[in-house]
Amino acid sequence: GSSKGLEGAVGLKTKDGELYMLGLCEGNHCEEGKLGKDKGNGLAVLMKKEINVADPIEGYTCVWKTQRMLSIPKQAYFQDYSAIAINAQGRVAITSQEESQVWLGSLTHVAEDGTFDPEKSEFSDDSNTDVVYDFPRDTNCATVYCNVEGIHWINDEMLVGVSDKMKKGGKQDFRCLQKDQSIHVFVMP
């Protein structure tokens, strides 16, 4: 669509050293509009770089070709998806700007050296280990981290996030201004 697309991406390598990109769709079903707001239907696109692909205009070029789609577990019951991070052990963090939350889970079939299996890897769907956290709220339990657009693992117990600018014209509560255009460090509870 014209306003929704990939909202985050991570590079992953196979045992053979092949580079893949896992792109996080912003809208549910990788769509915008009403279908894109259908909570709990998040997807990520697994792509592989192909070189020397024939192009009628530019001759030969390289493209990121879709290999398959990975479903984000229903536990990440989000209206939108704003960022993704995967550490070397396969731990995953996926954020939602609308819900001001982060889902923590894992990518399956990740080896000790951090490589992954592009045919078998999936996001975990284990309610015993996966968790959704709210980003901290104010003293009235109102959202203040309204625009988290980036996330990254610092270590197993810490995440760093970045926030985009608050939306203008009364589209967001005044509380959102306090954390806009900022860098945040979160320690796991």
Side-chain angles (χ1 to χ4, degrees):
S2 61
S3 68
K4 301 286 182 191
L6 295 181
E7 191 71 359
V10 292
L12 300 166
K13 285 196 175 183
T14 65
K15 282 260 188 222
D16 299 334
E18 290 184 278
L19 179 63
Y20 284 75
M21 185 181 343
L22 185 62
L24 179 68
C25 294
E26 182 177 5
N28 285 284
H29 305 283
C30 274
E31 296 285 340
E32 62 181 353
K34 186 176 180 181
L35 191 58
K37 293 179 181 180
D38 182 22
K39 287 185 174 189
N41 292 288
L43 294 169
V45 184
L46 183 64
M47 298 167 277
K48 181 180 176 186
K49 190 174 186 178
E50 293 192 7
I51 300 173
N52 294 327
V53 176
D55 182 279
I57 297 170
E58 298 182 29
Y60 287 92
T61 186
C62 62
V63 296
W64 286 96
K65 186 175 179 186
T66 298
Q67 302 297 301
R68 64 191 188 95
M69 306 294 279
L70 279 72
S71 294
I72 297 168
K74 297 277 186 197
Q75 186 179 9
Y77 193 70
F78 298 157
Q79 181 176 314
D80 78 327
Y81 303 85
S82 61
I84 184 171
I86 303 176
N87 71 12
Q89 293 74 41
R91 288 192 69 198
V92 179
I94 295 177
T95 61
S96 170
Q97 190 179 70
E98 291 290 327
E99 271 73 34
S100 187
Q101 294 179 320
V102 60
W103 171 79
L104 302 179
S106 61
L107 186 67
T108 65
H109 297 90
V110 174
E112 287 183 20
D113 63 0
T115 60
F116 88 116
D117 185 328
E119 294 177 17
K120 295 180 181 177
S121 290
E122 299 285 347
F123 292 116
S124 61
D125 193 5
D126 186 344
S127 60
N128 295 318
T129 59
D130 301 354
V131 65
V132 175
Y133 289 119
D134 289 336
F135 285 112
R137 308 294 196 217
D138 70 7
T139 55
N140 295 317
C141 293
T143 299
V144 291
Y145 289 90
C146 307
N147 297 301
V148 175
E149 285 279 342
I151 199 75
H152 187 75
W153 290 97
I154 295 175
N155 59 39
D156 287 343
E157 301 301 322
M158 296 175 71
L159 289 166
V160 62
V162 294
S163 290
D164 200 356
K165 188 173 184 170
M166 180 180 148
K167 294 172 181 68
K168 294 181 181 178
K171 293 180 182 175
Q172 287 186 310
D173 190 277
F174 72 92
R175 290 175 189 86
C176 298
L177 183 59
Q178 182 182 7
K179 304 290 184 186
D180 85 335
Q181 302 181 86
S182 302
I183 298 172
H184 322 283
V185 176
F186 304 102
V187 177
M188 302 298 159

